Amino acid sequence: MCGIFGCILTEGKAAPVIHAALKRLEYRGYDSAGEATIYDGHLYMKKDVGKIDQIHSHLNLDDLPGKLGVGHTRWATHGAPSKENAHPFVDCKDRIAVVHNGIIENFLELREGLEKSGHIFKSRTDSEVIPHLIEDFTAKGSNLAEAVRQVSQKLKGSFAIAVISVDEPDKIVCARRESPLVIGIQGKSLYCASDVPAFLPLTNKALFLEENEMALLTAKGVKVFSLKTGESKHFEISTITWSPEMAKKSGYRHFMLKEIHEQPLSLRNALRTQELYYDLMAATINSASRVFLVACGTSYHACLAAAYMFSKIAHIDAKSVEASEFIEHYGTILDRNCAVLAVSQSGETADTLTAIRFAKECGASILGITNVMGSTITRLSSVYIGQNSGPEIGVAATKTFTAQLVVLAKLAIKLAEKRGKITPPESKLLKKNLIEIPEIIETILSENEGKLKHLAEKYWNRSSVCFLGRGINVATVLEGRLKLLEVAYIPALAYPAGESKHGSIAIVEKGYPVIFVSPGGNAYSKIIGNIMEMKARGADILALIEKDDKEIKKLTDEYVEIQSNIPEIFTPIAYVVPLQLFAYYMAIERGSDPDKPRNLAKSVTVE
Ligand code: AGP
């Protein structure tokens, strides 16, 4: 999730306007930034690694000349944060500059073709193919807008781009597919940006580009075209009523809620990560005699679910371990035959780093899954995969948890294939089912948010809540509990449902809320028994069930329905979403700020 911006001004310099807009977009990414402008037949550009203030302090971003330009603030996906990998990117002749947000899935093959025909690349990013492709089309006679349209047909993946060219110095061409892009209109001055906050202090008139649309910005105004056919399209201008603070949250009251709603998008991005790294990671795990999945907090819950996935479909015994316990528990048996997969959103959690540093010294292979390219985990790992969630601002992990699960599920499928534990048709079906998950989450969000708000209104003042699940959904209930604990400060229990009768059932009394995560599948009949045990003691039964559930529905006081027949190993990805919403609305009902829970930090860098 990067931030892009472009502007054509009627008067004054574009560079300070771009700089200020990038500052307002910094919440979308902040590992490097850059600007390019056009003036008097030349392209001017400044970019570097670091936060915008740091870059500005040594480069002075404001002194580029010209009334027209583009800018970018980056959150690395392909290629670590560095000056070379910072946007804008230019063609071979330094005449075309492009800023891009999104992921170009087929960039390796495009780059190979371009290099063969003589193009020189300076970065390791996916984005750099775009100016070179545009260069080819303009060389063949297309104008800039047509070249952008042609190039878009060649790109697989997601993009929002803004393009400028010395040869057509009076225009910005922008286009989008699956990444957001909005045009700001202030009289004859025009802006394009990833998000409204970029230009909100300048204008509240906005044109939201639709999927597969492109726009041509010139001093004469805006024109919108279909990216597929080039046909001109009608558009409407909206008036934004959000305050700048609301705009940063896309109108949501809190970042946590915004990030819960971003999950369909963040999961699609997580699904885009590259096959090569899955292959390398699976090969390392497959050849290890012991496999450990190491993490803290929410990321540990992702590991717990992954251990079930690995066992269920790839027949691999992987131990999920809280990083803070790893050395004490397994320190004596670590050697070069071990593979340690560390999962960390931030890539900087001290307990996780200590665990993998120790394992590395013992000769173990270190693998990583993280949301922050360039973080310490990426440097300690021999192979790492970026989950592509974009910055998560709420302290409570939501979209990064489900993205970790998606990456781990893809890895489990790859392992199962490598080990011959699933047939090609089974693997194909699982991949298809996984690709469908973002849409299922869209439905969960649209159908159930009101219900979860209602449940929070009903249960907000309870002194405790218990979450129960079986099999892989033990991970889901642990995560549901952690969310409730950290944002609503309610002491909560979470157990494998079969364990509850060995102790925790003692606290159940009339009206005590017990939340069951109970999709169909292997555990179904057993979980009915667990529900009966709780019901017999007067508990209020709340259950997450499948839409065509027949039995559990009749036993509950409240239920939330989720699409039926999600493959069991993917159920945590969908079933955790209602629990995130429940925790969020419980926090709201109890008057706490879910974005900044007391005593917690986003990244825990002390042991
Ligand atoms: C999750 O909501 C928490 N804020 C916390 O448990 C977090 O998951 C944990 O600190 C691990 O962080 P990491 O993924 O950045 O390593």
Side-chain angles (χ1 to χ4, degrees):
M1 194 168 87
C2 307
I4 71 168
F5 182 77
C7 68
I8 299 184
L9 304 181
T10 46
E11 53 192 50
K13 274 170 41 176
V17 176
I18 300 170
H19 173 192
L22 293 183
K23 278 294 293 171
R24 292 190 286 269
L25 284 178
E26 211 171 14
Y27 68 92
R28 295 180 61 90
Y30 40 76
D31 60 45
S32 52
E35 293 183 7
T37 59
I38 289 177
Y39 179 69
D40 202 17
H42 292 283
L43 186 75
Y44 294 83
M45 186 163 77
K46 291 188 179 185
K47 60 180 183 177
D48 209 345
V49 69
K51 291 197 165 192
I52 294 165
D53 285 346
Q54 291 163 338
I55 300 170
H56 180 58
S57 69
H58 69 276
L59 287 185
N60 187 6
L61 289 169
D62 294 346
D63 72 356
L64 296 175
K67 290 180 181 172
L68 172 151
V70 292
H72 189 274
T73 178
R74 181 169 189 246
W75 181 261
T77 55
H78 295 63
S82 66
K83 181 174 180 180
E84 294 69 35
N85 292 337
H87 297 225
F89 289 110
V90 293
D91 66 319
C92 292
K93 300 193 191 83
D94 286 352
R95 299 187 76 76
I96 299 164
V98 175
V99 288
H100 167 228
N101 170 36
I103 298 165
I104 306 303
E105 285 165 17
N106 57 338
F107 81 100
L108 278 177
E109 96 195 40
L110 291 170
R111 178 170 175 147
E112 224 174 85
L114 286 160
E115 281 177 332
K116 271 192 195 138
S117 63
H119 288 266
I120 308 288
F121 282 76
K122 294 178 191 140
S123 81
R124 297 175 64 84
T125 65
D126 53 337
S127 312
E128 198 184 357
V129 295
I130 302 172
H132 292 280
L133 288 169
I134 297 173
E135 180 181 9
D136 272 3
F137 278 101
T138 51
K140 284 181 206 145
S142 296
N143 64 29
L144 188 63
E146 181 54 18
V148 167
R149 202 180 73 72
Q150 300 276 2
V151 167
S152 74
Q153 319 289 325
K154 290 189 164 280
L155 304 178
K156 288 198 185 129
S158 60
F159 55 83
I161 51 174
V163 186
I164 55 175
S165 166
V166 168
D167 299 312
E168 297 180 48
D170 54 349
K171 61 182 71 153
I172 298 178
V173 179
C174 47
R176 68 156 286 196
R177 182 195 296 154
E178 289 187 40
S179 295
L181 194 59
V182 54
I183 315 287
I185 301 167
Q186 182 191 23
K188 298 241 169 195
S189 291
L190 300 174
Y191 313 98
C192 60
S194 297
D195 211 347
V196 169
F199 55 70
L200 197 56
L202 305 167
T203 179
N204 64 353
K205 300 280 178 252
L207 182 181
F208 290 87
L209 279 193
E210 303 287 339
E211 194 59 1
N212 283 311
E213 281 186 348
M214 60 185 291
L216 178 63
L217 315 188
T218 66
K220 290 187 191 143
V222 188
K223 285 185 179 161
V224 177
F225 303 94
S226 156
L227 205 45
K228 287 187 179 151
T229 63
E231 278 166 28
S232 164
K233 292 193 72 177
H234 170 76
F235 58 85
E236 283 184 9
I237 296 170
S238 329
T239 302
I240 307 290
T241 51
W242 298 336
S243 67
E245 199 44 40
M246 280 166 79
K248 261 194 210 167
K249 297 174 196 155
S250 305
Y252 291 103
R253 195 163 154 199
H254 293 97
F255 282 109
M256 182 179 175
L257 190 60
K258 173 176 180 267
E259 286 156 2
I260 290 172
H261 279 267
E262 265 168 18
Q263 290 180 105
L265 177 68
S266 60
L267 295 187
R268 288 188 178 106
N269 285 336
L271 281 162
R272 284 195 180 101
T273 42
Q274 289 164 60
E275 292 308 314
L276 172 69
Y277 300 110
Y278 285 92
D279 223 39
L280 290 170
M281 201 175 265
T284 306
I285 292 174
N286 196 26
S287 58
S289 57
R290 286 199 178 95
V291 180
F292 297 98
L293 309 175
V294 177
C296 300
T298 290
S299 300
Y300 165 69
H301 298 150
C303 290
L304 206 56
Y308 279 88
M309 294 173 188
F310 286 14
S311 155
K312 289 252 173 212
I313 64 164
H315 304 197
I316 287 179
D317 174 23
K319 301 212 168 355
S320 49
V321 193
E322 288 103 336
S324 56
E325 286 298 315
F326 181 64
I327 299 172
E328 192 58 28
H329 198 158
Y330 296 105
T332 56
I333 57 168
L334 291 169
D335 59 25
R336 55 199 294 275
N337 299 313
C338 297
V340 179
L341 170 56
V343 179
S344 171
Q345 185 282 129
S346 61
E348 300 295 350
T349 298
D351 286 329
T352 309
L353 295 180
T354 302
I356 55 175
R357 281 191 180 113
F358 184 91
K360 200 170 178 152
E361 272 171 27
C362 298
S365 303
I366 308 300
L367 308 168
I369 295 175
T370 184
N371 192 31
V372 184
M373 304 306 259
S375 61
T376 308
I377 275 192
T378 62
R379 294 197 292 275
L380 291 172
S381 308
S382 56
V383 184
Y384 59 86
I385 294 176
Q387 57 184 87
N388 296 341
S389 312
E392 188 174 60
I393 295 170
V395 166
T398 53
K399 65 172 180 172
T400 56
F401 176 63
T402 46
Q404 286 168 345
L405 291 175
V406 159
V407 171
L408 288 161
K410 269 187 78 171
L411 184 59
I413 297 170
K414 183 64 84 185
L415 279 164
E417 286 171 345
K418 229 180 226 330
R419 294 165 64 82
K421 301 297 179 192
I422 50 174
T423 62
E426 283 168 339
S427 156
K428 199 172 163 195
L429 182 61
L430 278 174
K431 287 177 186 167
K432 178 177 168 286
N433 293 146
L434 193 56
I435 288 170
E436 287 164 0
I437 295 279
E439 205 177 318
I440 292 174
I441 292 182
E442 256 154 26
T443 310
I444 293 173
L445 291 166
S446 65
E447 290 182 352
N448 294 308
E449 187 160 1
K451 180 72 174 272
L452 289 149
K453 193 164 180 293
H454 156 76
L455 292 180
E457 282 157 13
K458 183 167 168 188
Y459 290 104
W460 70 272
N461 61 354
R462 300 307 164 95
S463 54
S464 175
V465 174
C466 180
F467 296 80
L468 297 176
R470 296 186 82 107
I472 194 167
N473 283 302
V474 170
T476 316
V477 297
L478 287 169
E479 178 58 11
R481 173 187 65 164
L482 179 60
K483 290 289 88 83
L484 190 68
L485 282 175
E486 65 181 335
V487 302
Y489 315 140
I490 297 182
L493 304 174
Y495 273 94
E499 269 293 297
S500 56
K501 59 185 175 293
H502 298 288
S504 59
I505 199 167
I507 66 166
V508 175
E509 56 188 4
K510 191 166 168 27
Y512 181 77
V514 183
I515 301 180
F516 282 89
V517 173
S518 43
N522 293 344
Y524 190 76
S525 55
K526 286 199 167 150
I527 218 158
I528 292 182
N530 301 132
I531 293 176
M532 298 305 287
E533 289 157 12
M534 292 293 164
K535 216 174 152 55
R537 282 147 186 96
D540 265 17
I541 309 295
L542 291 72
L544 310 185
I545 56 173
E546 290 189 335
K547 278 189 172 161
D548 55 14
D549 177 282
K550 300 274 183 306
E551 297 299 315
I552 295 180
K553 194 183 279 184
K554 289 187 258 172
L555 304 174
T556 61
D557 295 280
E558 301 278 0
Y559 60 83
V560 169
E561 291 178 304
I562 289 169
Q563 176 171 319
S564 306
N565 301 323
I566 299 172
E568 198 177 358
I569 57 163
F570 303 153
T571 49
I573 315 173
Y575 279 70
V576 77
V577 175
L579 302 183
Q580 296 168 343
L581 283 170
F582 180 65
Y584 172 79
Y585 283 111
M586 289 289 270
I588 298 302
E589 288 299 318
R590 292 166 68 91
S592 48
D593 177 352
D595 283 346
K596 297 193 188 83
R598 68 187 181 207
N599 308 335
L600 293 176
K602 184 67 187 160
S603 177
V604 184
T605 52
V606 289
E607 283 178 55

